[in-house]
Short mmCIF file of all heavy atoms in Angstrom, two decimals:
data_model
loop_
_atom_site.label_atom_id
_atom_site.label_comp_id
_atom_site.label_asym_id
_atom_site.label_seq_id
_atom_site.Cartn_x
_atom_site.Cartn_y
_atom_site.Cartn_z
N MET I 1413 -9.24 1.15 -13.40
CA MET I 1413 -9.79 0.04 -12.62
C MET I 1413 -8.64 -0.81 -12.13
O MET I 1413 -8.05 -1.60 -12.87
CB MET I 1413 -10.73 -0.72 -13.56
CG MET I 1413 -11.17 -2.03 -13.04
SD MET I 1413 -12.38 -2.80 -14.11
CE MET I 1413 -11.55 -4.25 -14.55
N ALA I 1414 -8.32 -0.65 -10.89
CA ALA I 1414 -7.19 -1.41 -10.32
C ALA I 1414 -7.77 -2.58 -9.50
O ALA I 1414 -8.17 -2.40 -8.33
CB ALA I 1414 -6.33 -0.54 -9.48
N ASP I 1415 -7.81 -3.77 -10.10
CA ASP I 1415 -8.27 -4.90 -9.40
C ASP I 1415 -7.09 -5.80 -8.98
O ASP I 1415 -7.17 -7.02 -8.93
CB ASP I 1415 -9.29 -5.69 -10.21
CG ASP I 1415 -8.81 -6.01 -11.59
OD1 ASP I 1415 -7.76 -5.46 -11.99
OD2 ASP I 1415 -9.52 -6.76 -12.29
N HIS I 1416 -5.97 -5.14 -8.72
CA HIS I 1416 -4.76 -5.84 -8.31
C HIS I 1416 -4.03 -5.01 -7.24
O HIS I 1416 -4.38 -3.86 -7.04
CB HIS I 1416 -3.83 -6.07 -9.53
CG HIS I 1416 -3.34 -4.77 -10.15
ND1 HIS I 1416 -4.09 -4.12 -11.12
CD2 HIS I 1416 -2.29 -4.01 -9.93
CE1 HIS I 1416 -3.44 -3.04 -11.49
NE2 HIS I 1416 -2.34 -2.91 -10.79
N LYS I 1417 -3.07 -5.68 -6.59
CA LYS I 1417 -2.25 -4.92 -5.62
C LYS I 1417 -0.82 -5.44 -5.79
O LYS I 1417 -0.57 -6.53 -6.32
CB LYS I 1417 -2.74 -5.07 -4.21
CG LYS I 1417 -2.53 -6.46 -3.62
CD LYS I 1417 -2.94 -6.46 -2.14
CE LYS I 1417 -2.64 -7.84 -1.54
NZ LYS I 1417 -2.91 -7.85 -0.08
N VAL I 1418 0.09 -4.62 -5.36
CA VAL I 1418 1.55 -4.98 -5.41
C VAL I 1418 2.10 -4.93 -3.99
O VAL I 1418 1.81 -3.97 -3.22
CB VAL I 1418 2.29 -3.97 -6.33
CG1 VAL I 1418 3.79 -4.30 -6.33
CG2 VAL I 1418 1.72 -4.00 -7.75
N THR I 1419 2.86 -5.95 -3.67
CA THR I 1419 3.50 -6.00 -2.38
C THR I 1419 4.99 -6.17 -2.56
O THR I 1419 5.50 -6.64 -3.60
CB THR I 1419 2.98 -7.18 -1.52
OG1 THR I 1419 3.24 -8.40 -2.20
CG2 THR I 1419 1.48 -7.02 -1.26
N VAL I 1420 5.76 -5.81 -1.51
CA VAL I 1420 7.20 -6.01 -1.49
C VAL I 1420 7.44 -7.08 -0.44
O VAL I 1420 7.03 -6.94 0.72
CB VAL I 1420 7.94 -4.66 -1.13
CG1 VAL I 1420 9.40 -4.93 -0.93
CG2 VAL I 1420 7.68 -3.60 -2.18
N GLU I 1421 8.13 -8.12 -0.85
CA GLU I 1421 8.36 -9.25 0.06
C GLU I 1421 9.82 -9.70 -0.01
O GLU I 1421 10.46 -9.57 -1.04
CB GLU I 1421 7.44 -10.42 -0.32
CG GLU I 1421 5.98 -10.11 -0.29
CD GLU I 1421 5.10 -11.17 -0.82
OE1 GLU I 1421 5.50 -12.36 -0.79
OE2 GLU I 1421 3.98 -10.87 -1.25
N GLN I 1422 10.29 -10.23 1.12
CA GLN I 1422 11.67 -10.75 1.15
C GLN I 1422 11.71 -12.16 0.62
O GLN I 1422 10.88 -12.98 0.96
CB GLN I 1422 12.21 -10.71 2.61
CG GLN I 1422 13.68 -10.98 2.66
CD GLN I 1422 14.31 -10.60 4.01
OE1 GLN I 1422 13.63 -10.61 5.01
NE2 GLN I 1422 15.59 -10.31 4.00
N LEU I 1423 12.69 -12.42 -0.22
CA LEU I 1423 12.90 -13.72 -0.78
C LEU I 1423 13.72 -14.60 0.09
O LEU I 1423 14.39 -14.09 1.06
CB LEU I 1423 13.57 -13.58 -2.15
CG LEU I 1423 12.86 -12.73 -3.16
CD1 LEU I 1423 13.73 -12.50 -4.41
CD2 LEU I 1423 11.48 -13.35 -3.55
N ASP I 1424 13.80 -15.87 -0.18
CA ASP I 1424 14.61 -16.84 0.63
C ASP I 1424 16.13 -16.47 0.60
O ASP I 1424 16.83 -16.76 1.55
CB ASP I 1424 14.43 -18.25 0.15
CG ASP I 1424 13.04 -18.76 0.41
OD1 ASP I 1424 12.36 -18.24 1.32
OD2 ASP I 1424 12.60 -19.72 -0.27
N ASN I 1425 16.56 -15.84 -0.50
CA ASN I 1425 17.97 -15.47 -0.60
C ASN I 1425 18.32 -14.16 0.14
O ASN I 1425 19.45 -13.68 0.07
CB ASN I 1425 18.39 -15.41 -2.06
CG ASN I 1425 17.70 -14.29 -2.82
OD1 ASN I 1425 16.95 -13.49 -2.27
ND2 ASN I 1425 17.90 -14.26 -4.14
N GLY I 1426 17.35 -13.59 0.85
CA GLY I 1426 17.58 -12.37 1.59
C GLY I 1426 17.33 -11.09 0.81
O GLY I 1426 17.27 -10.00 1.39
N LYS I 1427 17.14 -11.22 -0.50
CA LYS I 1427 16.86 -10.01 -1.30
C LYS I 1427 15.33 -9.78 -1.27
O LYS I 1427 14.57 -10.53 -0.72
CB LYS I 1427 17.31 -10.23 -2.73
CG LYS I 1427 18.81 -10.31 -2.83
CD LYS I 1427 19.30 -10.37 -4.26
CE LYS I 1427 20.81 -10.36 -4.33
NZ LYS I 1427 21.27 -10.40 -5.74
N TRP I 1428 14.96 -8.61 -1.81
CA TRP I 1428 13.56 -8.19 -1.83
C TRP I 1428 13.03 -8.13 -3.27
O TRP I 1428 13.80 -7.85 -4.18
CB TRP I 1428 13.44 -6.82 -1.18
CG TRP I 1428 13.80 -6.86 0.27
CD1 TRP I 1428 15.05 -6.83 0.83
CD2 TRP I 1428 12.91 -7.01 1.36
NE1 TRP I 1428 14.97 -6.94 2.19
CE2 TRP I 1428 13.67 -7.02 2.51
CE3 TRP I 1428 11.49 -7.08 1.48
CZ2 TRP I 1428 13.12 -7.13 3.82
CZ3 TRP I 1428 10.92 -7.18 2.73
CH2 TRP I 1428 11.73 -7.20 3.90
N ALA I 1429 11.78 -8.42 -3.45
CA ALA I 1429 11.17 -8.37 -4.76
C ALA I 1429 9.72 -7.85 -4.64
O ALA I 1429 9.13 -7.86 -3.59
CB ALA I 1429 11.14 -9.76 -5.38
N CYS I 1430 9.22 -7.39 -5.79
CA CYS I 1430 7.84 -6.86 -5.87
C CYS I 1430 6.98 -7.92 -6.49
O CYS I 1430 7.35 -8.55 -7.50
CB CYS I 1430 7.81 -5.59 -6.71
SG CYS I 1430 8.87 -4.30 -6.04
N PHE I 1431 5.79 -8.13 -5.91
CA PHE I 1431 4.87 -9.15 -6.39
C PHE I 1431 3.53 -8.54 -6.70
O PHE I 1431 3.00 -7.70 -5.92
CB PHE I 1431 4.70 -10.24 -5.30
CG PHE I 1431 5.90 -11.09 -5.14
CD1 PHE I 1431 6.91 -10.73 -4.28
CD2 PHE I 1431 6.06 -12.23 -5.88
CE1 PHE I 1431 8.04 -11.52 -4.09
CE2 PHE I 1431 7.19 -13.09 -5.70
CZ PHE I 1431 8.19 -12.67 -4.82
N LEU I 1432 2.96 -8.96 -7.83
CA LEU I 1432 1.69 -8.51 -8.26
C LEU I 1432 0.65 -9.57 -7.86
O LEU I 1432 0.81 -10.76 -8.12
CB LEU I 1432 1.70 -8.34 -9.79
CG LEU I 1432 0.37 -7.98 -10.42
CD1 LEU I 1432 -0.05 -6.57 -10.01
CD2 LEU I 1432 0.53 -8.00 -11.96
N HIS I 1433 -0.37 -9.12 -7.17
CA HIS I 1433 -1.46 -10.05 -6.74
C HIS I 1433 -2.69 -9.72 -7.60
O HIS I 1433 -3.23 -8.61 -7.58
CB HIS I 1433 -1.76 -9.81 -5.27
CG HIS I 1433 -0.63 -10.08 -4.35
ND1 HIS I 1433 -0.46 -11.25 -3.69
CD2 HIS I 1433 0.45 -9.27 -4.03
CE1 HIS I 1433 0.65 -11.21 -2.97
NE2 HIS I 1433 1.19 -10.03 -3.15
N LEU I 1434 -3.10 -10.76 -8.34
CA LEU I 1434 -4.33 -10.63 -9.19
C LEU I 1434 -5.35 -11.60 -8.61
O LEU I 1434 -5.07 -12.73 -8.32
CB LEU I 1434 -3.98 -11.03 -10.62
CG LEU I 1434 -2.94 -10.11 -11.29
CD1 LEU I 1434 -2.46 -10.76 -12.59
CD2 LEU I 1434 -3.49 -8.74 -11.54
N PRO I 1435 -6.60 -11.14 -8.45
CA PRO I 1435 -7.64 -11.99 -7.82
C PRO I 1435 -7.86 -13.32 -8.51
O PRO I 1435 -8.17 -14.32 -7.87
CB PRO I 1435 -8.87 -11.13 -7.85
CG PRO I 1435 -8.41 -9.73 -8.12
CD PRO I 1435 -7.10 -9.82 -8.75
N TRP I 1436 -7.64 -13.36 -9.83
CA TRP I 1436 -7.93 -14.59 -10.58
C TRP I 1436 -6.70 -15.48 -10.76
O TRP I 1436 -6.77 -16.52 -11.40
CB TRP I 1436 -8.56 -14.24 -11.94
CG TRP I 1436 -7.69 -13.34 -12.73
CD1 TRP I 1436 -6.71 -13.71 -13.64
CD2 TRP I 1436 -7.69 -11.89 -12.76
NE1 TRP I 1436 -6.10 -12.60 -14.21
CE2 TRP I 1436 -6.67 -11.48 -13.68
CE3 TRP I 1436 -8.41 -10.92 -12.06
CZ2 TRP I 1436 -6.43 -10.13 -13.91
CZ3 TRP I 1436 -8.14 -9.59 -12.35
CH2 TRP I 1436 -7.16 -9.23 -13.25
N VAL I 1437 -5.56 -15.10 -10.16
CA VAL I 1437 -4.33 -15.91 -10.25
C VAL I 1437 -4.03 -16.42 -8.86
O VAL I 1437 -4.00 -15.63 -7.90
CB VAL I 1437 -3.17 -15.08 -10.81
CG1 VAL I 1437 -1.91 -15.92 -10.86
CG2 VAL I 1437 -3.49 -14.56 -12.20
N ASP I 1438 -3.80 -17.71 -8.74
CA ASP I 1438 -3.57 -18.34 -7.42
C ASP I 1438 -2.38 -17.83 -6.65
O ASP I 1438 -2.46 -17.61 -5.44
CB ASP I 1438 -3.51 -19.85 -7.55
CG ASP I 1438 -4.81 -20.48 -7.97
OD1 ASP I 1438 -5.86 -19.88 -7.73
OD2 ASP I 1438 -4.76 -21.55 -8.55
N ALA I 1439 -1.23 -17.66 -7.33
CA ALA I 1439 -0.03 -17.25 -6.63
C ALA I 1439 0.40 -15.86 -7.05
O ALA I 1439 0.13 -15.44 -8.20
CB ALA I 1439 1.11 -18.24 -6.98
N PRO I 1440 1.06 -15.12 -6.17
CA PRO I 1440 1.51 -13.82 -6.55
C PRO I 1440 2.55 -13.90 -7.72
O PRO I 1440 3.27 -14.89 -7.84
CB PRO I 1440 2.27 -13.31 -5.30
CG PRO I 1440 1.73 -14.14 -4.20
CD PRO I 1440 1.34 -15.46 -4.80
N VAL I 1441 2.56 -12.89 -8.57
CA VAL I 1441 3.43 -12.89 -9.74
C VAL I 1441 4.62 -11.99 -9.48
O VAL I 1441 4.49 -10.79 -9.18
CB VAL I 1441 2.66 -12.35 -11.00
CG1 VAL I 1441 3.56 -12.30 -12.18
CG2 VAL I 1441 1.41 -13.17 -11.22
N ASN I 1442 5.84 -12.57 -9.52
CA ASN I 1442 7.04 -11.82 -9.32
C ASN I 1442 7.27 -10.90 -10.52
O ASN I 1442 7.21 -11.31 -11.68
CB ASN I 1442 8.24 -12.75 -9.18
CG ASN I 1442 9.53 -12.07 -8.75
OD1 ASN I 1442 9.76 -10.91 -9.13
ND2 ASN I 1442 10.32 -12.77 -8.03
N LEU I 1443 7.51 -9.60 -10.23
CA LEU I 1443 7.67 -8.64 -11.31
C LEU I 1443 9.07 -8.66 -11.93
O LEU I 1443 9.37 -7.89 -12.84
CB LEU I 1443 7.34 -7.23 -10.82
CG LEU I 1443 5.84 -7.01 -10.53
CD1 LEU I 1443 5.65 -5.66 -9.90
CD2 LEU I 1443 4.99 -7.25 -11.70
N GLY I 1444 9.95 -9.55 -11.46
CA GLY I 1444 11.17 -9.83 -12.18
C GLY I 1444 12.44 -9.08 -11.77
O GLY I 1444 13.48 -9.23 -12.40
N LYS I 1445 12.38 -8.32 -10.70
CA LYS I 1445 13.62 -7.64 -10.24
C LYS I 1445 13.82 -7.97 -8.78
O LYS I 1445 12.83 -8.09 -8.04
CB LYS I 1445 13.43 -6.12 -10.41
CG LYS I 1445 13.35 -5.74 -11.86
CD LYS I 1445 13.83 -4.40 -12.26
CE LYS I 1445 15.12 -3.94 -11.78
NZ LYS I 1445 16.06 -3.47 -12.73
N GLU I 1446 15.07 -8.06 -8.39
CA GLU I 1446 15.43 -8.29 -7.00
C GLU I 1446 16.26 -7.10 -6.50
O GLU I 1446 17.04 -6.50 -7.26
CB GLU I 1446 16.22 -9.57 -6.84
CG GLU I 1446 15.42 -10.82 -7.16
CD GLU I 1446 16.19 -12.13 -6.96
OE1 GLU I 1446 17.36 -12.03 -6.54
OE2 GLU I 1446 15.59 -13.16 -7.20
N PHE I 1447 16.09 -6.78 -5.22
CA PHE I 1447 16.77 -5.60 -4.64
C PHE I 1447 17.43 -5.99 -3.34
O PHE I 1447 17.02 -6.92 -2.64
CB PHE I 1447 15.74 -4.52 -4.39
CG PHE I 1447 14.99 -4.10 -5.62
CD1 PHE I 1447 13.81 -4.75 -5.99
CD2 PHE I 1447 15.48 -3.12 -6.46
CE1 PHE I 1447 13.11 -4.40 -7.15
CE2 PHE I 1447 14.82 -2.75 -7.61
CZ PHE I 1447 13.62 -3.39 -7.94
N LYS I 1448 18.47 -5.23 -2.94
CA LYS I 1448 19.21 -5.50 -1.74
C LYS I 1448 18.47 -5.08 -0.51
O LYS I 1448 18.74 -5.57 0.60
CB LYS I 1448 20.57 -4.80 -1.79
CG LYS I 1448 21.53 -5.38 -2.82
CD LYS I 1448 22.87 -4.68 -2.81
CE LYS I 1448 23.80 -5.28 -3.85
NZ LYS I 1448 25.08 -4.61 -3.86
N SER I 1449 17.53 -4.13 -0.63
CA SER I 1449 16.79 -3.65 0.52
C SER I 1449 15.33 -3.44 0.19
O SER I 1449 14.96 -3.26 -1.00
CB SER I 1449 17.37 -2.36 1.05
OG SER I 1449 17.09 -1.29 0.15
N GLU I 1450 14.52 -3.45 1.18
CA GLU I 1450 13.07 -3.21 1.02
C GLU I 1450 12.83 -1.82 0.51
O GLU I 1450 11.96 -1.60 -0.32
CB GLU I 1450 12.38 -3.43 2.38
CG GLU I 1450 10.88 -3.25 2.31
CD GLU I 1450 10.23 -3.51 3.65
OE1 GLU I 1450 10.91 -3.55 4.70
OE2 GLU I 1450 8.97 -3.72 3.67
N GLU I 1451 13.63 -0.86 0.96
CA GLU I 1451 13.45 0.54 0.54
C GLU I 1451 13.69 0.68 -0.95
O GLU I 1451 12.99 1.40 -1.66
CB GLU I 1451 14.42 1.43 1.34
CG GLU I 1451 14.10 1.53 2.80
CD GLU I 1451 14.56 0.34 3.62
OE1 GLU I 1451 15.47 -0.43 3.19
OE2 GLU I 1451 14.01 0.09 4.70
N ARG I 1452 14.72 -0.01 -1.48
CA ARG I 1452 15.00 0.06 -2.90
C ARG I 1452 13.85 -0.54 -3.72
O ARG I 1452 13.49 -0.04 -4.78
CB ARG I 1452 16.27 -0.65 -3.25
CG ARG I 1452 17.51 0.12 -2.81
CD ARG I 1452 18.76 -0.58 -3.25
NE ARG I 1452 19.93 0.18 -2.74
CZ ARG I 1452 21.05 0.32 -3.39
NH1 ARG I 1452 21.20 -0.21 -4.59
NH2 ARG I 1452 22.03 1.02 -2.84
N ALA I 1453 13.29 -1.60 -3.22
CA ALA I 1453 12.16 -2.23 -3.93
C ALA I 1453 10.94 -1.31 -3.94
O ALA I 1453 10.28 -1.14 -4.97
CB ALA I 1453 11.82 -3.57 -3.27
N GLU I 1454 10.68 -0.67 -2.82
CA GLU I 1454 9.56 0.27 -2.74
C GLU I 1454 9.80 1.48 -3.63
O GLU I 1454 8.87 1.97 -4.27
CB GLU I 1454 9.33 0.68 -1.28
CG GLU I 1454 8.78 -0.44 -0.44
CD GLU I 1454 8.70 -0.09 1.03
OE1 GLU I 1454 9.21 0.96 1.47
OE2 GLU I 1454 8.12 -0.91 1.76
N THR I 1455 11.01 1.96 -3.72
CA THR I 1455 11.34 3.09 -4.54
C THR I 1455 11.17 2.69 -6.01
O THR I 1455 10.67 3.52 -6.83
CB THR I 1455 12.82 3.54 -4.31
OG1 THR I 1455 12.92 3.95 -2.95
CG2 THR I 1455 13.20 4.71 -5.20
N TRP I 1456 11.53 1.51 -6.39
CA TRP I 1456 11.39 1.05 -7.80
C TRP I 1456 9.94 1.08 -8.22
O TRP I 1456 9.62 1.36 -9.38
CB TRP I 1456 11.93 -0.36 -7.91
CG TRP I 1456 11.81 -0.91 -9.35
CD1 TRP I 1456 12.61 -0.56 -10.41
CD2 TRP I 1456 10.90 -1.91 -9.81
NE1 TRP I 1456 12.23 -1.25 -11.52
CE2 TRP I 1456 11.18 -2.10 -11.19
CE3 TRP I 1456 9.91 -2.62 -9.23
CZ2 TRP I 1456 10.48 -3.01 -11.96
CZ3 TRP I 1456 9.22 -3.53 -10.02
CH2 TRP I 1456 9.52 -3.73 -11.33
N LEU I 1457 9.00 0.87 -7.32
CA LEU I 1457 7.59 0.88 -7.67
C LEU I 1457 7.12 2.25 -8.18
O LEU I 1457 6.09 2.38 -8.80
CB LEU I 1457 6.73 0.47 -6.46
CG LEU I 1457 6.82 -0.99 -6.11
CD1 LEU I 1457 6.09 -1.25 -4.83
CD2 LEU I 1457 6.35 -1.90 -7.25
N ASP I 1458 7.90 3.28 -7.93
CA ASP I 1458 7.53 4.64 -8.39
C ASP I 1458 8.09 5.00 -9.74
O ASP I 1458 7.82 6.10 -10.23
CB ASP I 1458 8.02 5.71 -7.35
CG ASP I 1458 7.26 5.60 -6.04
OD1 ASP I 1458 6.10 5.18 -6.06
OD2 ASP I 1458 7.89 5.94 -4.99
N VAL I 1459 8.84 4.13 -10.36
CA VAL I 1459 9.44 4.44 -11.67
C VAL I 1459 8.61 3.82 -12.80
O VAL I 1459 7.88 2.85 -12.58
CB VAL I 1459 10.90 3.98 -11.76
CG1 VAL I 1459 11.78 4.70 -10.71
CG2 VAL I 1459 11.04 2.52 -11.68
N SER I 1460 8.80 4.38 -13.98
CA SER I 1460 8.00 3.90 -15.11
C SER I 1460 8.26 2.45 -15.45
O SER I 1460 7.36 1.74 -15.97
CB SER I 1460 8.21 4.79 -16.32
OG SER I 1460 9.56 4.72 -16.76
N GLU I 1461 9.45 1.98 -15.24
CA GLU I 1461 9.78 0.55 -15.49
C GLU I 1461 8.87 -0.38 -14.70
O GLU I 1461 8.39 -1.40 -15.23
CB GLU I 1461 11.26 0.25 -15.14
CG GLU I 1461 11.64 -1.15 -15.39
CD GLU I 1461 13.10 -1.46 -14.95
OE1 GLU I 1461 13.75 -0.57 -14.37
OE2 GLU I 1461 13.53 -2.61 -15.19
N ALA I 1462 8.58 -0.01 -13.46
CA ALA I 1462 7.64 -0.83 -12.64
C ALA I 1462 6.25 -0.80 -13.20
O ALA I 1462 5.59 -1.80 -13.29
CB ALA I 1462 7.68 -0.31 -11.18
N MET I 1463 5.79 0.37 -13.63
CA MET I 1463 4.47 0.50 -14.16
C MET I 1463 4.32 -0.33 -15.44
O MET I 1463 3.34 -1.02 -15.67
CB MET I 1463 4.14 1.97 -14.51
CG MET I 1463 4.14 2.90 -13.34
SD MET I 1463 2.94 2.39 -12.05
CE MET I 1463 4.05 1.98 -10.75
N THR I 1464 5.39 -0.35 -16.27
CA THR I 1464 5.41 -1.16 -17.47
C THR I 1464 5.33 -2.64 -17.09
O THR I 1464 4.61 -3.40 -17.75
CB THR I 1464 6.64 -0.86 -18.32
OG1 THR I 1464 6.62 0.53 -18.68
CG2 THR I 1464 6.68 -1.71 -19.57
N ALA I 1465 6.13 -3.07 -16.12
CA ALA I 1465 6.15 -4.49 -15.71
C ALA I 1465 4.79 -4.89 -15.21
O ALA I 1465 4.27 -5.98 -15.51
CB ALA I 1465 7.20 -4.70 -14.65
N ILE I 1466 4.12 -4.05 -14.44
CA ILE I 1466 2.78 -4.35 -13.94
C ILE I 1466 1.79 -4.49 -15.09
O ILE I 1466 1.05 -5.42 -15.15
CB ILE I 1466 2.34 -3.27 -12.94
CG1 ILE I 1466 3.20 -3.36 -11.64
CG2 ILE I 1466 0.86 -3.39 -12.63
CD1 ILE I 1466 3.05 -2.21 -10.71
N ASP I 1467 1.84 -3.53 -16.02
CA ASP I 1467 0.93 -3.56 -17.19
C ASP I 1467 1.13 -4.85 -17.99
O ASP I 1467 0.15 -5.48 -18.42
CB ASP I 1467 1.14 -2.33 -18.07
CG ASP I 1467 0.64 -1.06 -17.45
OD1 ASP I 1467 -0.14 -1.13 -16.48
OD2 ASP I 1467 1.05 0.03 -17.94
N VAL I 1468 2.39 -5.23 -18.20
CA VAL I 1468 2.68 -6.43 -18.98
C VAL I 1468 2.13 -7.67 -18.28
O VAL I 1468 1.52 -8.52 -18.91
CB VAL I 1468 4.21 -6.57 -19.21
CG1 VAL I 1468 4.59 -7.94 -19.70
CG2 VAL I 1468 4.68 -5.50 -20.18
N MET I 1469 2.33 -7.77 -16.97
CA MET I 1469 1.84 -8.94 -16.25
C MET I 1469 0.32 -9.00 -16.16
O MET I 1469 -0.27 -10.05 -16.24
CB MET I 1469 2.47 -8.99 -14.86
CG MET I 1469 3.94 -9.28 -14.84
SD MET I 1469 4.34 -10.81 -15.71
CE MET I 1469 6.07 -10.86 -15.53
N VAL I 1470 -0.30 -7.82 -16.03
CA VAL I 1470 -1.78 -7.80 -16.02
C VAL I 1470 -2.27 -8.29 -17.35
O VAL I 1470 -3.21 -9.13 -17.40
CB VAL I 1470 -2.28 -6.40 -15.73
CG1 VAL I 1470 -3.80 -6.27 -16.02
CG2 VAL I 1470 -2.02 -6.02 -14.26
N ARG I 1471 -1.67 -7.87 -18.48
CA ARG I 1471 -2.10 -8.37 -19.79
C ARG I 1471 -1.80 -9.83 -19.96
O ARG I 1471 -2.59 -10.61 -20.50
CB ARG I 1471 -1.41 -7.57 -20.89
CG ARG I 1471 -2.06 -6.20 -21.11
CD ARG I 1471 -1.62 -5.56 -22.39
NE ARG I 1471 -0.17 -5.43 -22.55
CZ ARG I 1471 0.51 -4.40 -22.11
NH1 ARG I 1471 -0.07 -3.43 -21.49
NH2 ARG I 1471 1.85 -4.35 -22.32
N LYS I 1472 -0.62 -10.24 -19.47
CA LYS I 1472 -0.23 -11.65 -19.63
C LYS I 1472 -1.21 -12.58 -18.88
O LYS I 1472 -1.54 -13.65 -19.41
CB LYS I 1472 1.20 -11.87 -19.05
CG LYS I 1472 1.67 -13.32 -19.14
CD LYS I 1472 3.09 -13.43 -18.63
CE LYS I 1472 3.57 -14.90 -18.68
NZ LYS I 1472 4.91 -15.04 -18.23
N TYR I 1473 -1.63 -12.20 -17.75
CA TYR I 1473 -2.51 -13.07 -16.94
C TYR I 1473 -4.00 -12.61 -17.02
O TYR I 1473 -4.81 -12.99 -16.16
CB TYR I 1473 -2.06 -13.04 -15.46
CG TYR I 1473 -0.76 -13.75 -15.24
CD1 TYR I 1473 0.43 -13.06 -15.21
CD2 TYR I 1473 -0.72 -15.16 -15.10
CE1 TYR I 1473 1.65 -13.75 -15.03
CE2 TYR I 1473 0.46 -15.82 -14.92
CZ TYR I 1473 1.66 -15.10 -14.90
OH TYR I 1473 2.87 -15.74 -14.71
N ALA I 1474 -4.32 -11.83 -18.06
CA ALA I 1474 -5.66 -11.33 -18.18
C ALA I 1474 -6.71 -12.45 -18.29
O ALA I 1474 -6.41 -13.45 -18.95
CB ALA I 1474 -5.74 -10.38 -19.40
N GLN I 1475 -7.86 -12.21 -17.74
CA GLN I 1475 -8.94 -13.12 -17.90
C GLN I 1475 -9.47 -12.99 -19.33
O GLN I 1475 -9.63 -11.91 -19.82
CB GLN I 1475 -10.07 -12.78 -16.92
CG GLN I 1475 -9.68 -13.04 -15.48
CD GLN I 1475 -10.73 -12.54 -14.52
OE1 GLN I 1475 -10.98 -11.35 -14.50
NE2 GLN I 1475 -11.29 -13.44 -13.78
N PRO I 1476 -9.74 -14.12 -19.98
CA PRO I 1476 -10.21 -14.06 -21.37
C PRO I 1476 -11.39 -13.14 -21.61
O PRO I 1476 -11.46 -12.51 -22.64
CB PRO I 1476 -10.56 -15.53 -21.68
CG PRO I 1476 -9.77 -16.34 -20.69
CD PRO I 1476 -9.61 -15.45 -19.48
N ASP I 1477 -12.32 -13.07 -20.68
CA ASP I 1477 -13.51 -12.26 -20.87
C ASP I 1477 -13.24 -10.77 -20.69
O ASP I 1477 -14.10 -9.93 -20.88
CB ASP I 1477 -14.66 -12.72 -19.96
CG ASP I 1477 -14.32 -12.63 -18.48
OD1 ASP I 1477 -13.11 -12.58 -18.13
OD2 ASP I 1477 -15.24 -12.52 -17.68
N LYS I 1478 -12.02 -10.42 -20.26
CA LYS I 1478 -11.66 -8.98 -19.99
C LYS I 1478 -10.70 -8.48 -21.03
O LYS I 1478 -10.20 -7.35 -20.93
CB LYS I 1478 -11.13 -8.79 -18.60
CG LYS I 1478 -12.12 -9.15 -17.54
CD LYS I 1478 -11.81 -8.50 -16.26
CE LYS I 1478 -12.90 -8.87 -15.28
NZ LYS I 1478 -12.93 -8.02 -14.14
N VAL I 1479 -10.35 -9.28 -22.03
CA VAL I 1479 -9.37 -8.88 -23.04
C VAL I 1479 -10.10 -8.17 -24.15
O VAL I 1479 -11.20 -8.39 -24.48
CB VAL I 1479 -8.61 -10.08 -23.57
CG1 VAL I 1479 -7.68 -9.68 -24.69
CG2 VAL I 1479 -7.82 -10.75 -22.46
#
């Protein structure tokens, strides 16, 4: 059940980062890594480290009735 999405966005410092969007959280959640290019950020989303980061953030921001 994927009720979230992940986007790659450019930061003010010119680097790129991956953000997790959860319907019940007002602002996108930064997954904690910065990249020199959009392509590197998109590639990172395919590795297990990204999946772990997403899982951790989903649990961290979980709705109390879904835990």
